[in-house]
Amino acid sequence: MTAIWKRELVSFFKNPIGYFVFMIYAFLSAIVFCLFVIWQNTSYLGNYFGMWLFVVDIVVIAVMSMRFFSEERKNKTDQLLLTSPLSLYSLVIGKFLGAYTIILSCTALNLIYVVIVDAFGTMDYGALLSNTVGTLLILSAMISISLFISALTENQIAAAAGSFAVLFLLMIVDYLAMFMPTWLAKAMMSLNIYSQYEDFTNGIISLPPVIYYISVTVISLFLTVKVIEKRRWN
Amino acid sequence: MITVSGLTKRYGKKIAVNNASFTINRGDIVGFLGPNGAGKTTTMNMITGYISSTSGKISIGGYDILENPNEAKAKIGYLPEQPPLYHDMTVKEYLSFVYNLKGCSKKENIKIKSEHIKEVCEVVKITDVYNRMIKNLSKGYKQRVGLAQALLGDPEILILDEPTSGLDPKEIVEIRNLIKRLGTRRTVILSSHVLSEVQAICERIIIINEGYVVMDALTDELSANMGPNSRYGIRLAAPDEDDVAGVLGSLLGVSHVEYVGSYEKGTSDFIIEADKNVDIRRILFDECAKRNWYILMITPLGMSLEDIFIQLVNKNSEAKQLAENKEEEVKEESNDDGDMEA
């Protein structure tokens, strides 16, 4: 598991795509910061840690998802991984931790904005803490969903497009639910990955969203293992 | 060391491997032989645990590949047809990654990481490209790096899928010699559709065709026992006006004569096939002496693996055809009976 985690990190930072991803994140998150903090003339970081920042994360995760399993299958390096004395769970968790570390290192760029707000405004440390916890949780759920989608295909473009589409859909499902019958709308809204985050935006760390994100992560990783396992049986 | 029993793999309606059973003992060098699409790679993929079988059992050193996959896989070093290389890594980084992936540090007989990797690099002769990026290596070197990863952890079993495919003749000879050396203290399974390769490396051959194991025999026995004829290559110096082929064809026991060409001035080369119970060499000598022809060379030609292979494949196809015809006949008969009763 540690070997896989290290390999993911080294490979990401050795490739130009790694720096490209960082650049995208830095550029887009700067726009979000300008739009929702500086132009709003507020020092409340809850505005920054909102839906649009997570859309930026989705873009980054979608680009990263090309590498998760699709690339391994395309280059046949999955043969090395699957014939090594390593359990599928270790493999999937290793991949997850690798991707999670990368997205967290992108997210670490947000510290710049924390420093800026702290220097020029009044920092709400409670909101900062709750948003940090919330971000860690929502990103873990997003990464695991993306891993699952990447395990479904060996086409890297399909993996990236699929990850973006599914995660974005889970983000805006509330808007679509407005056009649906009540019973379906309720079911659709419960799938919304962002609505669970709202408590964190308001500076509250409550148990249900924590359990929700952890559950989504665990179930997605479990399904990823099952997808790989099933392919071996087909 | 490896026991395979009743191994079957289905892809939908297609049966890739059909009820294959064989045992491979410690220290054997075994060749899987068969045309492309015969089921060699599928069989290897199942033995290494890359894919699961539809039915049947695989035991590696006493461990079932499905029940104790990690213990079984730890005994195997696998080089797939396309070496599983990360092109963005150097050879050093890649081998270090595989060392960690295989959990080699936990093995008792393995030396310190750097020493073990160095030793393996020396065996497969990649020390000079140790710090180079894999993507910049030639195909031959990539194959060697693939072989190095298979050797990491000092596995008891080496499984090599078409290890010389796509290499140039010099690299082929080097890889073959390397595999022979590795086979002195390991069980080796290699697959190939190049018959001479298997003949050159393996002591035992398992021939697979259309998912069936059609033959399992020692390499020497295989060419000695197969075929009804004894074959000789001969070179004769005879007057141009004589019908040499006609005379040879009329000799007692000769079933086939083939003119090969003239490789020496005033001589002709032939391949003659005769019944096994006739020593054609004596008859040939008497006949040539009588006609004042000179025999410059007689070379016994064992049946080549190509011939054996074609023969087996044809036999297998004929047997299958016969079985299908019989099945159809039985069906037709039962339909006729049904019509009559109606």
Side-chain angles (χ1 to χ4, degrees):
Chain A
M1 189 169 83
T2 325
I4 303 275
W5 174 67
K6 272 189 197 165
R7 146 87 201 146
E8 289 298 308
L9 285 186
V10 170
S11 155
F12 186 80
F13 289 109
K14 267 183 84 174
N15 279 309
I17 197 170
Y19 297 96
F20 177 67
V21 163
F22 257 80
M23 208 177 69
I24 295 176
Y25 189 89
F27 177 69
L28 295 178
S29 63
I31 293 176
V32 173
F33 183 71
C34 288
L35 285 176
F36 294 96
V37 180
I38 295 180
W39 287 5
Q40 303 284 330
N41 207 15
T42 175
S43 63
Y44 185 62
L45 272 177
N47 284 4
Y48 172 66
F49 288 99
M51 187 172 139
W52 287 106
L53 183 66
F54 297 125
V55 173
V56 174
D57 283 315
I58 290 176
V59 172
V60 171
I61 290 171
V63 175
M64 281 166 56
S65 72
M66 294 165 79
R67 299 178 47 85
F68 294 157
F69 287 107
S70 313
E71 195 180 56
E72 302 273 10
R73 280 178 71 194
K74 188 174 152 263
N75 296 337
K76 307 272 181 200
T77 42
D78 63 329
Q79 286 193 307
L80 172 68
L81 304 178
L82 297 175
T83 58
S84 298
L86 181 82
S87 72
L88 275 182
Y89 284 99
S90 303
L91 169 64
V92 170
I93 292 170
K95 284 265 178 196
F96 167 77
L97 289 178
Y100 194 45
T101 313
I102 292 164
I103 194 76
L104 288 188
S105 50
C106 283
T107 310
L109 290 173
N110 293 326
L111 285 174
I112 299 167
Y113 308 126
V114 173
V115 171
I116 291 172
V117 168
D118 200 28
F120 298 101
T122 319
M123 174 67 77
D124 181 345
Y125 288 101
L128 178 65
L129 177 69
S130 69
N131 277 293
T132 307
V133 172
T135 304
L136 290 176
L137 288 167
I138 195 171
L139 287 180
S140 119
M142 284 177 173
I143 286 278
S144 56
I145 291 170
S146 179
L147 263 176
F148 169 66
I149 292 162
S150 180
L152 293 172
T153 174
E154 71 178 79
N155 185 321
Q156 292 173 276
I157 304 295
S163 292
F164 182 83
V166 170
L167 292 174
F168 192 67
L169 211 63
L170 287 176
M171 194 76 95
I172 60 159
V173 71
D174 276 13
Y175 300 104
L176 300 175
M178 289 193 298
F179 305 103
M180 300 294 166
T182 325
W183 62 272
L184 185 60
K186 271 189 179 175
M188 283 173 72
M189 282 160 81
S190 66
L191 290 173
N192 191 322
I193 202 165
Y194 180 64
S195 64
Q196 301 288 335
Y197 188 87
E198 275 160 10
D199 277 356
F200 296 110
T201 310
N202 299 326
I204 303 162
I205 301 176
S206 56
L207 199 57
V210 174
I211 292 172
Y212 171 81
Y213 287 128
I214 291 175
S215 308
V216 171
T217 305
V218 172
I219 291 169
S220 301
L221 294 181
F222 175 75
L223 289 177
T224 309
V225 170
K226 291 298 155 196
V227 165
I228 299 170
E229 211 167 62
K230 185 177 179 293
R231 193 177 308 119
R232 298 167 90 180
W233 284 95
N234 282 341
Chain B
M1 195 77 214
I2 301 174
T3 310
V4 170
S5 51
L7 192 67
T8 300
K9 180 71 184 178
R10 284 171 188 272
Y11 291 109
K13 281 185 180 173
K14 176 160 171 53
I15 303 177
V17 177
N18 200 339
N19 201 24
S21 297
F22 51 85
T23 303
I24 295 171
N25 300 319
R26 192 179 293 272
D28 282 358
I29 304 184
V30 179
F32 279 175
L33 195 63
N36 290 328
K40 306 183 297 286
T41 300
T42 309
T43 308
M44 288 184 151
N45 281 339
M46 285 190 282
I47 294 175
T48 54
Y50 178 56
I51 55 171
S52 304
S53 57
T54 309
S55 62
K57 283 199 99 177
I58 299 168
S59 166
I60 312 287
Y63 293 108
D64 189 286
I65 193 74
L66 293 178
E67 285 165 18
N68 305 93
N70 291 351
E71 288 82 357
K73 286 175 187 175
K75 291 184 179 291
I76 299 174
Y78 181 36
L79 172 63
E81 189 174 356
Q82 183 183 327
L85 306 174
Y86 291 104
H87 292 132
D88 57 349
M89 286 176 137
T90 63
V91 174
K92 181 184 172 183
E93 287 166 348
Y94 175 69
L95 294 179
S96 169
F97 163 66
V98 177
Y99 181 95
N100 294 335
L101 186 72
K102 289 186 173 181
C104 295
S105 51
K106 292 171 201 156
K107 288 191 175 181
E108 282 172 15
N109 56 338
I110 301 293
K111 295 174 186 170
I112 303 163
K113 185 175 177 179
S114 59
E115 275 181 34
H116 180 57
I117 293 177
K118 201 178 151 198
E119 199 177 85
V120 168
C121 287
E122 277 166 11
V123 171
V124 298
K125 294 185 181 155
I126 53 169
T127 321
D128 49 335
V129 295
Y130 190 56
N131 288 309
R132 281 179 60 186
M133 293 289 283
I134 290 175
K135 67 180 170 194
N136 297 330
L137 299 180
S138 70
K139 194 155 194 315
Y141 268 115
K142 281 181 184 163
Q143 198 73 4
R144 282 166 189 270
V145 176
L147 203 50
Q149 68 77 19
L151 286 172
L152 282 176
D154 201 13
E156 294 167 55
I157 301 164
L158 264 187
I159 298 184
L160 315 170
D161 192 1
E162 309 224 359
T164 58
S165 123
L167 302 183
D168 68 35
K170 187 172 167 269
E171 288 170 336
I172 288 175
V173 173
E174 285 174 1
I175 293 282
R176 278 183 191 170
N177 291 337
L178 178 59
I179 295 169
K180 271 188 188 175
R181 276 208 313 277
L182 295 172
T184 53
R185 48 183 286 262
R186 287 182 183 84
T187 306
V188 178
I189 305 178
L190 76 92
S191 79
S192 179
H193 59 270
V194 183
L195 308 166
S196 56
E197 177 163 277
V198 179
Q199 201 171 18
I201 303 173
C202 304
E203 301 150 355
R204 186 178 147 201
I205 297 177
I206 294 175
I207 298 180
I208 302 175
N209 186 48
E210 293 177 8
Y212 290 90
V213 172
V214 289
M215 172 153 270
D216 181 351
L218 295 177
T219 311
D220 298 337
E221 278 176 15
L222 201 65
S223 22
N225 294 338
M226 286 294 298
N229 297 322
S230 54
R231 299 168 84 229
Y232 292 95
I234 59 169
R235 179 168 296 170
L236 295 177
D240 289 344
E241 60 274 17
D242 288 1
D243 175 18
V244 182
V247 172
L248 294 178
S250 65
L251 295 178
L252 179 71
V254 172
S255 56
H256 179 71
V257 176
E258 188 187 330
Y259 174 68
V260 180
S262 175
Y263 297 97
E264 221 177 297
K265 204 179 172 189
T267 67
S268 307
D269 284 22
F270 296 90
I271 289 176
I272 58 172
E273 286 180 17
D275 295 340
K276 267 198 165 167
N277 48 5
V278 175
D279 188 352
I280 193 64
R281 292 169 303 175
R282 292 170 193 275
I283 299 169
L284 181 69
F285 180 83
D286 289 343
E287 189 64 30
C288 290
K290 203 166 77 187
R291 292 176 180 269
N292 272 341
W293 294 352
Y294 297 98
I295 301 172
L296 303 178
M297 184 182 81
I298 297 186
T299 312
L301 303 173
M303 207 176 180
S304 73
L305 275 171
E306 274 83 356
D307 300 328
I308 294 167
F309 184 68
I310 290 164
Q311 200 172 326
L312 280 169
V313 169
N314 288 344
K315 266 188 193 171
N316 191 33
S317 305
E318 276 170 25
K320 250 180 110 181
Q321 191 63 45
L322 271 174
E324 279 171 15
N325 289 347
K326 262 192 177 176
E327 249 177 51
E328 272 176 25
E329 273 172 28
V330 171
K331 265 186 195 171
E332 274 172 20
E333 270 174 25
S334 60
N335 282 346
D336 288 347
D337 291 348
D339 291 344
M340 294 275 280
E341 276 168 27

